[in-house]
Amino acid sequence: MNPVHKKFSRRARVATGGAVLAVVALAGFGAVSANASAPAATPATATSANAAARATTTSTHLTIDAATKAAQAALDAAEKENQRVTVAVVDRNGNTVVTLRGDGAGPQSYESAERKAFTAVSWNAPTSQLAERLEQAPNLKDIPGTLFLAGGVPVTAGNAPIAGIGVAGAPSGTLDEKFAQAGANSVAR
């Protein structure tokens, strides 16, 4: 048996071990408490920098009110012709701003409308024109998020695309695009 064990009784060894554990636990808690209450050191390199004017760009986007007005105008145009469609408006970056699903519109029309709007704003052209480009470049259809079917039109400001309006659900792309154009025209007024 270890000579240290002979000097202390079992009870003394247990009490000593418990005391050592308590001291270690308190020391750890004190260190954590001290770190939690101490103010965080801020590295000298963690400052902001103002970008030079030549390093930035400004883009124009439709307001939520204008996007909603455009979507509603497109949906109203479709309803006048008894068509059940979904209308989507995306911003310049292709992010959906507004989607209106008309009463009775098919489940596939939601995604199709968004993809048509995205495609129109991405190429700054109506999707009916873009569908014709597939003859020369059939791989265009492989770009994620796009849909090269008539029914999407861009909205521009100063000849730059700022939004896309997509409509899906009518029996033809020609009708979808007609309704999308009605939405775009409502923003021009």
Side-chain angles (χ1 to χ4, degrees), residues 75-98:
L75 188 59
D76 290 346
E79 288 175 348
K80 283 181 186 174
E81 296 190 29
N82 296 317
Q83 298 300 317
R84 298 179 178 135
V85 301
T86 297
V87 180
V89 179
V90 301
D91 66 12
R92 174 60 187 111
N93 300 322
N95 300 310
T96 303
V97 179
V98 175

Side-chain angles (χ1 to χ4, degrees), residues 124-145:
N124 194 23
T127 53
S128 60
Q129 291 176 11
L130 296 170
E132 295 170 5
R133 293 184 193 175
L134 288 178
E135 294 173 17
Q136 292 82 31
N139 290 343
L140 283 178
K141 70 181 179 335
D142 297 333
I143 297 172

